[in-house]
Amino acid sequence: MIYKDFQGKKISWLGYGAMRMPVTEPRGPIDWDKAADLIDIAYNAGINYYDTAYFYHSGKSQVFLGETLSRYPRDTWYIANKFPGNLLRRTPEGMHLSGFGDLQVKNINSIAEVFEQQLIDCGLDYFDFYMLHNVSEETYNVYTDTELGIVDYMLEQKKRGRIKHFGFSAHARPETLEKFLTHRNVFEFAQIQINYLDSSLQQAQEKYDICIKHGIPVIAMEPVRGGKLANPGDKAVELLKAHAPDATPVSWALRYLQKFPEMFNVLSGMSTVDQLEENIRIFSVENPVTAAEQTVLDKVVGVMAEAVPCTGCNYCIDVCPVKLNIPKLLSLYNEYAFEPSWTVGGTLRAMKDEEKPDACISCGACNPLCPQHIDIPSALGDFAERLKPKQ
């Protein structure tokens, strides 16, 4: 296992994400024995970074992980957890955590109540790494709310030694991430969704660059995009096999992330022994993709996501009579067309009506200025149509 330095700590380059542990039945409870066997294999192979969250496996992931890791000396592993600000809701009656998956709505009295319960659930006195969960357009106001004081509370826990390293995970758009870090940069690391597909589709490369600009090293999540890059489709596999017949799609995805110098951990949600063993082999050798291999991956992205080729030159914005952020909308359109995801939905819900694709008046003033010759009104019209509720 290769290790990366983080503030003097040696962190296994491959981390274990406990969001997709083996279950006894589809969407059922964790298969405790099988999951514990996987942690044993991981630990004995040198993996020392384990990631969980409040709502993974309906709240049981953090319990499982804390209990299972407790069999090993506490100074030989690191555990990461997250504050569920993405589930926090306030009403005149008080605060509650909204249901997610099988979790029920939970009334709470304070931020401290949640944090203290997480320590109890994990059986810990402190968290090695602790994050704000999912900084995004929808949660920006929650995490920057001085009355709620989430960040200040966490900084106090860090001062008391109950959080060793404080960071955040994010699915935010680049402009929101930049705004968040400019607002208050007290974070030591960031966890972002990045893989060779989302480097363009979700502007993950730009997000990585923003973090590094602010002096924040990065943890990668969703390196194989929930399994999609393990099975990227026949055309994509044909391109990969033509260049390297013996390489698996997973090896391409994970080796892609080895090229980022400030990425000290890659989280993989490994739910079978085969997945775990393959990932361990890949991160036992430092072998980032070459320039020639990156060209192959660019072609794979092209066949996986037939996207409108917006380069973000912004020429269209200057002439738009309703002042739409057209590059942002086209980026969202590409992502939504590939897969209607909750991340796109969250971004759109945080936007005003006059900023959304159906605000386009189809005047066509933008088209003559587009260097990529995109029919922008048609693309935005199609996006608006796709977003309409199904009858």
Side-chain angles (χ1 to χ4, degrees), residues 144-358:
T144 57
D145 188 320
T146 54
E147 182 181 340
L148 269 176
I150 295 174
V151 172
D152 286 335
Y153 175 81
M154 299 308 166
L155 291 175
E156 177 61 28
Q157 302 317 302
K158 183 184 174 188
K159 187 183 298 184
R160 293 174 58 189
R162 304 172 87 209
I163 294 172
K164 300 302 182 183
H165 300 288
F166 182 42
F168 63 91
S169 71
H171 289 281
R173 310 294 296 178
E175 60 271 18
T176 305
L177 182 59
E178 176 67 46
K179 179 182 173 185
F180 183 69
L181 289 174
T182 301
H183 170 76
R184 192 175 184 190
N185 189 356
V186 293
F187 306 101
E188 298 170 82
F189 66 99
Q191 182 172 303
I192 63 173
Q193 178 169 326
I194 182 168
N195 50 66
Y196 71 75
L197 178 63
D198 285 324
S199 281
S200 56
L201 202 59
Q202 289 193 8
Q203 298 171 285
Q205 173 74 60
E206 187 176 345
K207 297 177 193 179
Y208 172 86
D209 292 340
I210 289 170
C211 291
I212 303 312
K213 182 185 74 173
H214 285 273
I216 299 174
V218 167
I219 295 173
M221 59 179 163
E222 298 291 356
V224 292
R225 212 178 200 267
K228 284 186 173 57
L229 300 185
N231 298 285
D234 292 342
K235 290 183 179 179
V237 170
E238 185 178 333
L239 285 168
L240 297 175
K241 291 294 185 184
H243 188 87
D246 297 328
T248 65
V250 168
S251 69
W252 279 90
L254 298 184
R255 287 181 54 236
Y256 168 78
L257 293 170
Q258 290 189 3
K259 75 176 190 174
F260 293 92
E262 301 296 331
M263 186 176 290
F264 69 95
N265 187 257
V266 176
L267 280 177
S268 184
M270 300 162 284
S271 55
T272 70
V273 173
D274 287 346
Q275 290 173 358
L276 175 56
E277 290 180 342
E278 180 179 17
N279 282 214
I280 290 169
R281 284 195 300 272
I282 294 165
F283 280 98
S284 295
V285 179
E286 190 160 357
N287 185 25
V289 294
T290 64
E293 289 173 325
Q294 182 60 60
T295 300
V296 175
L297 288 176
D298 292 340
K299 292 177 181 177
V300 168
V301 171
V303 301
M304 288 185 71
E306 296 178 357
V308 294
C310 175
T311 60
C313 68
N314 293 333
Y315 296 160
C316 51
I317 294 178
D318 295 335
V319 298
C320 178
V322 292
K323 303 303 178 187
L324 288 176
N325 187 337
I326 294 170
K328 176 180 179 178
L329 290 173
L330 291 179
S331 174
L332 289 168
Y333 173 56
N334 284 337
E335 188 178 344
Y336 191 88
F338 177 76
E339 181 182 35
S341 66
W342 60 268
T343 55
V344 177
T347 302
L348 288 165
R349 284 191 294 274
M351 294 167 65
K352 299 175 183 177
D353 287 344
E354 60 267 26
E355 297 172 331
K356 295 179 181 179
D358 58 3

Side-chain angles (χ1 to χ4, degrees), residues 58-187:
S58 301
K60 298 303 181 184
S61 170
Q62 55 187 3
V63 177
F64 160 78
L65 202 55
E67 180 180 313
T68 304
L69 288 172
S70 69
R71 297 177 299 172
Y72 302 108
R74 181 65 180 91
D75 61 354
T76 62
W77 46 268
Y78 304 104
I79 193 168
N81 210 332
K82 309 176 188 78
F83 180 80
N86 51 333
L87 304 183
L88 188 65
R89 304 290 184 269
R90 286 192 293 175
T91 67
E93 290 72 38
M95 290 192 297
H96 67 268
L97 297 175
S98 63
F100 187 94
D102 295 329
L103 280 177
Q104 302 300 310
V105 172
K106 177 181 174 61
N107 295 323
I108 61 171
N109 296 311
S110 66
I111 303 304
E113 178 184 336
V114 179
F115 180 79
E116 297 292 345
Q117 187 60 52
Q118 287 182 291
L119 283 173
I120 292 170
D121 286 347
C122 289
L124 298 172
D125 297 321
Y126 65 90
F127 290 116
D128 301 285
F129 293 80
Y130 195 81
M131 288 167 262
L132 308 178
H133 202 158
N134 188 17
V135 172
S136 68
E137 286 69 26
E138 285 193 292
T139 63
Y140 180 88
N141 290 336
V142 173
Y143 288 132
T144 57
D145 188 320
T146 54
E147 182 181 340
L148 269 176
I150 295 174
V151 172
D152 286 335
Y153 175 81
M154 299 308 166
L155 291 175
E156 177 61 28
Q157 302 317 302
K158 183 184 174 188
K159 187 183 298 184
R160 293 174 58 189
R162 304 172 87 209
I163 294 172
K164 300 302 182 183
H165 300 288
F166 182 42
F168 63 91
S169 71
H171 289 281
R173 310 294 296 178
E175 60 271 18
T176 305
L177 182 59
E178 176 67 46
K179 179 182 173 185
F180 183 69
L181 289 174
T182 301
H183 170 76
R184 192 175 184 190
N185 189 356
V186 293
F187 306 101

